[in-house]
Amino acid sequence: MRLAALRQRNWLILHDVDSLSDAATSHQLSQHRSQQRSQGQSHPLHPELFHQAYWRERNLIVGEAPGRGSSFFLKASDSEQWVLRPYRRGGLIAKLSEKRYLWLGEERTRAFRELRLNAALYDQGLPVPRPVACCVMRYGPTYEAALITVRIPGAQALASLLAAGEADEALLQRVGAMIKRFHQAGLDHVDLNARNILIAPHGEPWLIDLDRCRLRPPGKWQEHNINRLARSLKKFHCHSVLPSILKGYNC
């Protein structure tokens, strides 16, 4: 994966060159590029592509996922959909600022960190969505950000399958084996829960939402990840499936 940064006075975009090349022929990016060329700009990426209003005006939002700030499913082309996720704060601090973060340099923004981590795991062949781009808009000492990844066709959250009684023993063990692969790669997923594990139509598990995650040497964090998942399963009244997940994890 080839990452490149595009910098202007008050915004920065980090993107995968190959994903952008593939998507540049899509109808909305082609149209956007034509508009930019008429304005003397040569690059198809621009901050407005990271706002749901741009896609909604063109009737290219095809769905929305639940969660803080919501993720929007975009029709990037006739054959591919993207997921646009704006960064939003949670907890008490959100009452002060829901979407602004302290600026400490571009490489320390949550968006740049997540995209680079996502790309590193993707390059290792691990089941994470392909990253497309992220955008950081700076406002003096603060910034806002959003991330775009490729949507996994037909995938459903593990939480949804559990609620519908459609997660069998074999699937749960595959989930455990997937988590073990990520732990072996050193990924500390700080929000490992049943919504951040997606299951593709043929039963392959994927891991999403790498915000605030990082690569670390082996340690207690692995146990903490599992405990976080256990709390999530309990929340969805599915804590009884944890032994099956652990069986796959320990194989």
Side-chain angles (χ1 to χ4, degrees):
M1 182 166 290
R2 297 180 297 152
L3 299 182
L6 180 65
R7 298 175 176 85
Q8 296 295 331
R9 184 173 61 181
N10 66 330
W11 56 266
L12 309 97
I13 294 176
L14 182 65
H15 63 91
D16 170 40
V17 175
D18 297 320
S19 291
L20 180 60
S21 297
D22 293 341
T25 57
S26 66
H27 53 280
Q28 75 281 0
L29 281 186
S30 296
Q31 180 184 28
H32 188 73
R33 173 173 278 183
S34 298
Q35 293 171 349
Q36 286 187 300
R37 283 174 176 169
S38 68
Q39 298 169 6
Q41 302 175 21
S42 59
H43 205 282
L45 279 180
H46 190 271
E48 64 188 57
L49 292 171
F50 295 83
H51 292 277
Q52 57 96 5
Y54 172 88
W55 302 87
R56 194 174 298 282
E57 289 170 2
R58 291 158 178 79
N59 294 317
L60 293 172
I61 293 182
V62 297
E64 186 174 339
R68 185 172 67 244
S70 297
S71 295
F72 301 94
F73 302 140
L74 315 174
K75 184 179 180 181
S77 70
D78 291 336
S79 60
E80 184 173 270
Q81 293 183 10
W82 289 349
V83 181
L84 169 63
R85 175 164 56 84
Y87 286 83
R88 294 289 185 269
R89 290 184 178 277
L92 294 176
I93 197 169
K95 295 182 178 180
L96 299 176
S97 178
E98 182 185 11
K99 57 184 180 179
R100 292 283 177 94
Y101 298 86
L102 181 64
W103 174 262
L104 297 172
E106 63 186 67
E107 292 298 335
R108 296 184 66 181
T109 61
R110 291 169 74 152
F112 270 51
R113 284 183 168 182
E114 182 172 359
L115 191 140
R116 290 197 184 281
L117 175 59
N118 200 151
L121 296 171
Y122 182 88
D123 282 342
Q124 292 181 48
L126 289 163
V128 292
R130 183 182 183 114
V132 176
C134 67
C135 179
V136 174
M137 291 289 299
R138 187 176 177 185
Y139 301 91
T142 65
Y143 73 92
E144 298 177 9
L147 175 74
I148 294 176
T149 57
V150 175
R151 187 181 183 187
I152 303 164
Q156 298 183 66
L158 176 62
S160 299
L161 295 179
L162 289 170
E166 298 176 0
D168 60 19
E169 177 75 14
L171 172 58
L172 295 171
Q173 289 191 32
R174 286 196 297 273
V175 168
M178 178 204 67
I179 295 171
K180 183 61 173 289
R181 286 183 64 194
F182 280 101
H183 280 180
Q184 289 175 332
L187 178 68
D188 178 6
H189 197 298
V190 297
D191 193 19
L192 186 63
N193 66 65
R195 283 203 179 105
N196 286 336
I197 297 172
L198 300 186
I199 309 299
H202 294 294
E204 307 94 340
W206 295 69
L207 193 59
I208 63 170
D209 194 355
L210 304 178
D211 183 27
R212 298 180 294 114
C213 301
R214 55 177 172 159
L215 298 178
R216 305 178 65 183
K220 293 288 289 184
W221 59 266
Q222 294 159 311
E223 181 181 344
H224 294 161
N225 284 183
I226 298 297
N227 290 339
R228 174 69 184 87
L229 177 60
R231 292 194 298 274
S232 169
L233 294 172
K234 185 176 181 180
K235 177 181 178 181
F236 292 112
H237 307 290
C238 298
H239 56 279
S240 62
V241 306
L242 184 61
S244 297
I245 294 175
L246 292 178
K247 184 175 180 180
Y249 183 91
N250 293 319
C251 284

